[in-house]
């Protein structure tokens, strides 16, 4: 019970996510720079994307969010997990929590999963399809604070982000979409809390 209380604490979550993100991005950049045969920009996919491409995938994300909401209602579940409600309600500095959730977490997680790991797995016999599946699965697994229904939606979103990474050849578009998804979820939580 005490562990659940600590994990659901918005102040603890803000601190841990921000530290993890800053240190994680630093380590990822270091590991990528050690790879002599490819540039950091090419390995991670730090390439710009076009506004039409961004708009298309943003609309696709909106459709995914709409369908996920419908499925949650169909399953009789609230679209806002208890974990998110508790974290938001307990955060003393809601702006810091939101910056962490909307900006820092997407940057680190996308650089790790759809950047570093995707590039590594795609260059093995797993190929692009295996890299998309495996990174989506691993990304879902780190979200153990959620019930299996939410983890399933995170896995599906991970597949979508992996496809976007492959199709756009850019990590910047998955970061943008991940941040947009977290922004929508944060708006939902804030509106529900009043």
């Amino acid at each position: 019970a005490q562990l659940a209380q600590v994990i659901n604490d918005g102040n603890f979550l803000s601190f841990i996510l921000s530290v993890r993100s800053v240190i994680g991005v630093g380590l990822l950049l270091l590991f990528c720079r050690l790879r002599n045969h490819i540039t950091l920009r090419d390995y991670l996919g730090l390439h710009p994307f076009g506004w039409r491409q961004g708009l298309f995938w943003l609309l696709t994300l909106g459709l995914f969010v709409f369908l996920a909401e419908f499925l949650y209602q169909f399953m009789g579940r609230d679209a806002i997990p208890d974990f998110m409600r508790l974290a938001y309600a307990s955060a003393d500095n809601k702006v810091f929590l939101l910056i962490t959730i909307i900006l820092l977490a997407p940057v680190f997680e996308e650089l790790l999963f759809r950047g570093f790991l995707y590039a590594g797995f795609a260059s093995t016999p797993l190929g692009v399809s295996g890299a998309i599946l495996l990174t989506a699965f691993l990304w879902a697994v780190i979200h153990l604070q959620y019930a299996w229904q939410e983890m399933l939606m995170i896995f599906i979103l991970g597949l979508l982000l992996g496809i976007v990474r492959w199709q756009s050849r850019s990590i910047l578009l998955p970061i943008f979409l991940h941040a947009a998804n977290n922004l929508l979820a944060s708006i939902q939580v804030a509106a529900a809390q009043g």
Side-chain angles (χ1 to χ4, degrees), residues 4-169:
Q5 185 178 6
V6 169
I7 290 172
N8 293 330
D9 181 74
N11 299 316
F12 178 76
L13 180 68
S14 300
F15 175 75
I16 289 298
L17 287 179
S18 62
V19 169
R20 176 202 73 168
S21 297
V22 171
I23 292 173
V25 168
L27 288 173
L28 282 174
L29 295 176
L30 176 66
F31 289 142
C32 290
R33 289 191 60 72
L34 295 176
R35 302 183 68 89
N36 294 329
H37 67 283
I38 191 167
T39 67
L40 179 70
R41 183 175 187 228
D42 289 336
Y43 190 78
L44 290 178
L46 297 169
H47 304 289
F49 59 91
W51 71 269
R52 285 190 180 116
Q53 194 176 36
L55 181 60
F56 171 79
W57 286 111
L58 188 61
L59 293 172
T60 304
L61 175 68
L63 179 61
F64 167 78
V65 169
F66 175 78
L67 291 174
E69 297 284 330
F70 177 77
L71 284 173
Y72 285 137
Q73 288 181 0
F74 179 76
M75 292 186 287
R77 296 191 58 82
D78 191 348
I80 304 171
D82 290 338
F83 162 76
M84 291 174 65
R85 288 181 193 274
L86 292 169
Y88 186 82
S90 62
D92 293 328
N93 189 338
K94 294 190 183 355
V95 172
F96 182 52
L97 176 65
L98 293 174
I99 289 170
T100 303
I101 290 171
I102 297 167
L103 295 176
L104 296 179
V107 168
F108 169 65
E109 290 176 11
E110 292 309 312
L111 285 174
L112 175 61
F113 291 100
R114 258 68 63 181
F116 184 76
L117 293 176
Y118 169 86
F121 292 144
S123 65
T124 70
L126 287 172
V128 170
S129 299
I132 291 171
L133 281 168
L134 188 53
T135 56
F137 173 76
L138 293 172
W139 185 53
V141 167
I142 69 161
H143 290 86
L144 290 174
Q145 69 270 33
Y146 296 110
W148 72 267
Q149 294 92 338
E150 287 90 19
M151 288 179 70
L152 176 62
M153 292 302 154
I154 290 168
F155 172 73
I156 295 169
L157 179 59
L159 293 176
L160 175 70
L161 293 172
I163 291 167
V164 170
R165 167 65 169 96
W166 165 73
Q167 189 271 334
S168 69
R169 302 196 187 298

